[in-house]
Structure formats: structure tokens, C-alpha cells
Amino acid sequence: MWTEEHRRIYRREGAGYPSDLRDAEWARLAPLIPEALPGGRPRKPDMRAAINAILYLLRTGCPWRHLPRDSFPPHSTVYNIFRKFQREGVWEAIWAELHTALRERTGREASPSAAVLDSQSVKSAEKGAVTTARWVMTPASGSRAAKSTLWSTVKGCRCGASSTRPKSRIATGPA
């Protein structure tokens, strides 16, 4: 049940946006943000403002270029920080830390001791990777029909973007 104390804690008042991190939330996330690399230029953007910008984008669903300029770093800077964190696994580390803390706060062990698999999950796993159909142009070989061929490719595969043809026309799973 919501009490006045809960409402006071979760009320987002003051300047900024409703998606902005509160001081306690930032204190929890700040140690998980990697420091700037030594030897390079000092980090200019405020990381808290950049994280707030990313949270604003996630909450509103607006395009990167529509990021408000009043309290956030430039959209290109925010995008580069987001992608760098993706490549370096920072988002996974933040998720794991928050997930572990939530489990401990609710009186559970830090990591789950059991998992549940239903029959639908097992059936999906048996069939292999999700495939998508993609039309790609092939080198001319004989008829006009041979120029445009439907290849079934594994989702995320960039086979059609390169100049080499896939080894198989039927995706059998990750290579």
C-alpha cells in the first residue's frame, strides 16, 4: 500500500525531467560508470547528464536528434556514450548489479538457484535461430530469374551486405 512516505520518495519534483536520476540513484550507478581512459583528453560531458539523456530517450522514445538541448549534452555525444557502454558491457554490469541488489533486498539469494523451462521454451530452442527472408541480388548466371534469389539468412547475419554468397541457402543456426 502506498503511504505518504512512499509518495515523497518516488515523487519527481523540481527542475529537470521525470526520467532524471535522483541523488540516491546516481550514487548507486556512479561507481559502475567507467573512468575516462588515461592519456587522452579529459572527459568533458557530465556523465550524470548523459545517463539522464539516455533515460529520457528510453522513456519518451524520441529520436536522438530531438534530444532537448537545455540540460543534456549534444545528441552525438550521448549516442557515442550509449554505444561505447554497449560495446564494453557497461549496461550488462549495471543490470546485473541492480538485479542482484533487488534480489538481496527482497530476501532472496543474489543469484537464482533454480530455473523453470516450459515445453514452449524447449520447442523454440530445438528449432534453432530465428530466420528472416531477405532478397539479395546474385551475379547474373543464365536467366533473369537467377538474378534475384530469396535466401533465408540467420537474423543479424550480414551475408547479404557483403559481396560473398552464404554457404547455404537454409540457415541451420549460428555459425
Side-chain angles (χ1 to χ4, degrees):
M1 170 142 187
W2 280 90
T3 64
E4 191 54 42
E5 180 182 351
H6 289 117
R7 288 185 179 93
R8 184 177 42 78
I9 291 171
Y10 291 100
R11 190 175 294 134
R12 307 269 184 175
E13 294 176 345
Y17 295 96
S19 60
D20 287 352
L21 292 170
R22 294 186 309 254
D23 291 336
E25 293 168 337
W26 176 246
R28 179 119 194 160
L29 290 182
L32 301 173
I33 305 297
E35 296 293 324
L37 297 175
R41 288 189 299 177
R43 184 180 277 167
K44 271 187 174 179
D46 176 23
M47 291 307 288
R48 183 173 182 174
I51 299 296
N52 283 337
I54 292 168
L55 293 174
Y56 175 85
L57 288 165
L58 291 172
R59 180 69 179 119
T60 62
C62 75
W64 290 98
R65 290 190 183 273
H66 294 174
L67 192 64
R69 296 180 184 150
D70 57 351
S71 60
F72 299 134
H75 67 87
S76 59
T77 303
V78 175
Y79 178 77
N80 290 337
I81 290 170
F82 175 79
R83 292 290 292 151
K84 182 178 183 198
F85 282 9
Q86 238 180 354
R87 282 190 308 271
E88 295 178 357
V90 174
W91 298 123
E92 287 83 8
I94 289 172
W95 183 88
E97 169 67 26
L98 295 176
H99 184 253
T100 302
L102 177 65
R103 288 186 61 85
E104 288 174 350
R105 193 173 71 201
T106 57
R108 296 175 165 180
E109 291 184 30
S111 61
S113 58
V116 176
L117 292 175
D118 63 348
S119 61
Q120 188 62 39
S121 299
V122 175
K123 286 178 188 175
S124 298
E126 288 174 356
K127 291 183 181 180
V130 176
T131 59
T132 58
R134 183 180 295 172
W135 285 93
V136 293
M137 299 304 289
T138 60
S141 59
S143 68
R144 281 188 174 182
K147 291 181 182 177
S148 180
T149 307
L150 175 65
W151 285 342
S152 180
T153 58
V154 177
K155 192 170 191 171
C157 177
R158 299 180 188 207
C159 301
S162 67
S163 60
T164 60
R165 293 177 63 171
K167 291 183 172 97
S168 171
R169 289 184 177 213
I170 300 173
T172 57

